[in-house]
Amino acid sequence: MVSLFFMKGDPMKKILPFVIVLVLIPLTSGNWNMFMHDEEHTGFNDIDMKNINSVIWSFDLEGRVCSSPVIVEDVIYIGSEKYFYAIDLNGNILWKKEMNVLWSSPTILDNIYIGTWDGYVYCLNKDGEIIWDIELGKEIRGSPLVYKDRIFIGTGGLNPSFYCIDALTGEIQWSYKTISPIKTSASAWNDRIYIVFQNDIYADELYCFDLDGNLVWKYKTSDVPEGICLPPIATRRTQFITSSPTIYKDRVYFGSGEKKAYCIDCKTGELIWEFKTKETKWMKEYATGEDRIISTPAAAYDMVYFGSWDNTVYALDADTGSEIWTFLTGDKTISSPAIADGMVYIGCMDGHFYCFDSDGNILGDFKLGKVLGSPSISNGYVFVPAGSKLYCLGEKAQEIKETKTEENGNPSSKTYYIIGAVIGIVILIAIGMKRR
């Protein structure tokens, strides 16, 4: 590198582009833009990880949190039942907005898109200012999928529907009425939109739409989830499926109320394989159907990972559905996994948050509180919603800091990068002028 200063011509013109690229890499690397990271819901971030051995900081979200954090340009966005927050990587609040998010995770591209429990979809700028909003109904649980300038999201309440909304204007493009509330998030692949919900009495179904709302195909699981004690006819519109579809190598993976994980061909809708989870003692004695899969599968390295209500984390061969390893937890697992650098991260209702290697060996076990949302990975850290707090897990061993929820003027890490860039450029200019 020293020899660069002795190159013929103006060294600044040769060196400056390298410096700018090196400085700006931390600003754009490791983003986690939406629920389960990407449009396919793989839950996989292709970055190098630190040794996750400590709680770096925790942040009080002032209420229950069932959603997942999103990290873009070194800013963390997450909602609770009271507020929607923007937090820097040091755990300092940048701003907060009164909003009952609870379940829906944001999707962030140029703007922020988020659904709320009272049935609104908001488009915000990155300062938290509302660009547009639209009321769709009630109980938005799923996270918005933003794909080719369109938003795809489902609603609950008495008139549940699946909507396509113009991301620029907030106008409804088309909708598909359903029987039961939609509690899942849509995924996208090759101009196809995939969503799972119950649209018949006890029938879990995977739908494939084109971008104009035409149904391409649907896959229906068995009519009555195995082991269910049927309630009176008036209450039979109970939805059991809350596992969102994950797309990996031209296949769709999802879990159902039948205690089964499915692998479906993306193009044809044909079944490739199915896998039945374990039957617990509770299930055998009471036939409650409570062993369903709520966790959305994560996929990478030719493997599929998910948690289940049978107190088990599963790792399956993505191609065949064969069980590779399992791990027995102390309670149900609702949280969806996150994957990076050969490691799998997932939380549990028993309050534990686990890190596994590719063989299922535990690399980390943190007692944080009930994990209802799902972890996100960025910049070598793991961000975990647990109880009413957001935790940052990383390598640095230090005293746990709980940050305040009052807004402050502390600069974010992005600011430090910019300052560093300016200082570096000034130094290089000074060196160039001196050599002249």
PDB file of all heavy atoms in Angstrom, residues 11-22:
ATOM      1  N   PRO A  11      -1.313  11.010  -7.146  1.00  0.00           N
ATOM      2  CA  PRO A  11      -1.672   9.847  -6.327  1.00  0.00           C
ATOM      3  C   PRO A  11      -3.077   9.944  -5.765  1.00  0.00           C
ATOM      4  O   PRO A  11      -3.729   8.936  -5.492  1.00  0.00           O
ATOM      5  CB  PRO A  11      -0.624   9.872  -5.208  1.00  0.00           C
ATOM      6  CG  PRO A  11      -0.173  11.300  -5.128  1.00  0.00           C
ATOM      7  CD  PRO A  11      -0.225  11.805  -6.545  1.00  0.00           C
ATOM      8  N   MET A  12      -3.587  11.161  -5.559  1.00  0.00           N
ATOM      9  CA  MET A  12      -4.919  11.322  -4.987  1.00  0.00           C
ATOM     10  C   MET A  12      -5.988  10.712  -5.875  1.00  0.00           C
ATOM     11  O   MET A  12      -6.952  10.112  -5.400  1.00  0.00           O
ATOM     12  CB  MET A  12      -5.220  12.809  -4.775  1.00  0.00           C
ATOM     13  CG  MET A  12      -4.421  13.428  -3.635  1.00  0.00           C
ATOM     14  SD  MET A  12      -4.759  12.603  -2.081  1.00  0.00           S
ATOM     15  CE  MET A  12      -6.498  12.892  -1.954  1.00  0.00           C
ATOM     16  N   LYS A  13      -5.835  10.875  -7.191  1.00  0.00           N
ATOM     17  CA  LYS A  13      -6.839  10.353  -8.114  1.00  0.00           C
ATOM     18  C   LYS A  13      -6.880   8.829  -8.086  1.00  0.00           C
ATOM     19  O   LYS A  13      -7.885   8.217  -8.399  1.00  0.00           O
ATOM     20  CB  LYS A  13      -6.547  10.835  -9.526  1.00  0.00           C
ATOM     21  CG  LYS A  13      -6.738  12.339  -9.700  1.00  0.00           C
ATOM     22  CD  LYS A  13      -6.455  12.756 -11.132  1.00  0.00           C
ATOM     23  CE  LYS A  13      -6.663  14.254 -11.311  1.00  0.00           C
ATOM     24  NZ  LYS A  13      -6.379  14.677 -12.713  1.00  0.00           N
ATOM     25  N   LYS A  14      -5.749   8.211  -7.729  1.00  0.00           N
ATOM     26  CA  LYS A  14      -5.695   6.751  -7.705  1.00  0.00           C
ATOM     27  C   LYS A  14      -6.128   6.184  -6.360  1.00  0.00           C
ATOM     28  O   LYS A  14      -6.691   5.112  -6.257  1.00  0.00           O
ATOM     29  CB  LYS A  14      -4.278   6.283  -8.041  1.00  0.00           C
ATOM     30  CG  LYS A  14      -3.818   6.645  -9.442  1.00  0.00           C
ATOM     31  CD  LYS A  14      -2.416   6.153  -9.686  1.00  0.00           C
ATOM     32  CE  LYS A  14      -1.989   6.394 -11.143  1.00  0.00           C
ATOM     33  NZ  LYS A  14      -1.955   7.801 -11.505  1.00  0.00           N
ATOM     34  N   ILE A  15      -5.819   6.940  -5.301  1.00  0.00           N
ATOM     35  CA  ILE A  15      -6.069   6.424  -3.958  1.00  0.00           C
ATOM     36  C   ILE A  15      -7.477   6.735  -3.475  1.00  0.00           C
ATOM     37  O   ILE A  15      -8.112   5.923  -2.815  1.00  0.00           O
ATOM     38  CB  ILE A  15      -5.048   7.035  -2.965  1.00  0.00           C
ATOM     39  CG1 ILE A  15      -3.644   6.616  -3.366  1.00  0.00           C
ATOM     40  CG2 ILE A  15      -5.338   6.572  -1.541  1.00  0.00           C
ATOM     41  CD1 ILE A  15      -2.566   7.319  -2.572  1.00  0.00           C
ATOM     42  N   LEU A  16      -7.992   7.922  -3.818  1.00  0.00           N
ATOM     43  CA  LEU A  16      -9.267   8.379  -3.269  1.00  0.00           C
ATOM     44  C   LEU A  16     -10.419   7.404  -3.485  1.00  0.00           C
ATOM     45  O   LEU A  16     -11.196   7.144  -2.566  1.00  0.00           O
ATOM     46  CB  LEU A  16      -9.610   9.764  -3.832  1.00  0.00           C
ATOM     47  CG  LEU A  16     -10.772  10.507  -3.154  1.00  0.00           C
ATOM     48  CD1 LEU A  16     -10.492  10.654  -1.665  1.00  0.00           C
ATOM     49  CD2 LEU A  16     -10.968  11.877  -3.800  1.00  0.00           C
ATOM     50  N   PRO A  17     -10.582   6.808  -4.682  1.00  0.00           N
ATOM     51  CA  PRO A  17     -11.693   5.864  -4.851  1.00  0.00           C
ATOM     52  C   PRO A  17     -11.614   4.675  -3.894  1.00  0.00           C
ATOM     53  O   PRO A  17     -12.634   4.222  -3.371  1.00  0.00           O
ATOM     54  CB  PRO A  17     -11.554   5.413  -6.316  1.00  0.00           C
ATOM     55  CG  PRO A  17     -10.819   6.529  -6.981  1.00  0.00           C
ATOM     56  CD  PRO A  17      -9.870   7.042  -5.968  1.00  0.00           C
ATOM     57  N   PHE A  18     -10.397   4.175  -3.639  1.00  0.00           N
ATOM     58  CA  PHE A  18     -10.248   3.045  -2.716  1.00  0.00           C
ATOM     59  C   PHE A  18     -10.652   3.444  -1.301  1.00  0.00           C
ATOM     60  O   PHE A  18     -11.299   2.684  -0.584  1.00  0.00           O
ATOM     61  CB  PHE A  18      -8.800   2.542  -2.723  1.00  0.00           C
ATOM     62  CG  PHE A  18      -8.379   1.935  -4.024  1.00  0.00           C
ATOM     63  CD1 PHE A  18      -7.635   2.659  -4.942  1.00  0.00           C
ATOM     64  CD2 PHE A  18      -8.753   0.639  -4.354  1.00  0.00           C
ATOM     65  CE1 PHE A  18      -7.259   2.104  -6.148  1.00  0.00           C
ATOM     66  CE2 PHE A  18      -8.378   0.069  -5.563  1.00  0.00           C
ATOM     67  CZ  PHE A  18      -7.627   0.805  -6.465  1.00  0.00           C
ATOM     68  N   VAL A  19     -10.240   4.649  -0.891  1.00  0.00           N
ATOM     69  CA  VAL A  19     -10.563   5.112   0.452  1.00  0.00           C
ATOM     70  C   VAL A  19     -12.068   5.266   0.628  1.00  0.00           C
ATOM     71  O   VAL A  19     -12.655   4.846   1.632  1.00  0.00           O
ATOM     72  CB  VAL A  19      -9.859   6.451   0.742  1.00  0.00           C
ATOM     73  CG1 VAL A  19     -10.302   7.007   2.092  1.00  0.00           C
ATOM     74  CG2 VAL A  19      -8.351   6.266   0.708  1.00  0.00           C
ATOM     75  N   ILE A  20     -12.717   5.862  -0.368  1.00  0.00           N
ATOM     76  CA  ILE A  20     -14.168   6.075  -0.276  1.00  0.00           C
ATOM     77  C   ILE A  20     -14.901   4.739  -0.170  1.00  0.00           C
ATOM     78  O   ILE A  20     -15.810   4.571   0.651  1.00  0.00           O
ATOM     79  CB  ILE A  20     -14.676   6.875  -1.487  1.00  0.00           C
ATOM     80  CG1 ILE A  20     -14.103   8.292  -1.432  1.00  0.00           C
ATOM     81  CG2 ILE A  20     -16.195   6.908  -1.516  1.00  0.00           C
ATOM     82  CD1 ILE A  20     -14.441   9.141  -2.653  1.00  0.00           C
ATOM     83  N   VAL A  21     -14.507   3.764  -0.991  1.00  0.00           N
ATOM     84  CA  VAL A  21     -15.158   2.450  -0.946  1.00  0.00           C
ATOM     85  C   VAL A  21     -14.964   1.795   0.408  1.00  0.00           C
ATOM     86  O   VAL A  21     -15.897   1.275   1.016  1.00  0.00           O
ATOM     87  CB  VAL A  21     -14.605   1.536  -2.071  1.00  0.00           C
ATOM     88  CG1 VAL A  21     -15.082   0.112  -1.865  1.00  0.00           C
ATOM     89  CG2 VAL A  21     -15.042   2.053  -3.417  1.00  0.00           C
ATOM     90  N   LEU A  22     -13.714   1.847   0.936  1.00  0.00           N
ATOM     91  CA  LEU A  22     -13.433   1.212   2.219  1.00  0.00           C
ATOM     92  C   LEU A  22     -14.214   1.859   3.355  1.00  0.00           C
ATOM     93  O   LEU A  22     -14.655   1.198   4.286  1.00  0.00           O
ATOM     94  CB  LEU A  22     -11.931   1.274   2.509  1.00  0.00           C
ATOM     95  CG  LEU A  22     -11.047   0.376   1.634  1.00  0.00           C
ATOM     96  CD1 LEU A  22      -9.576   0.656   1.911  1.00  0.00           C
ATOM     97  CD2 LEU A  22     -11.366  -1.092   1.876  1.00  0.00           C
TER      98      LEU A  22
END
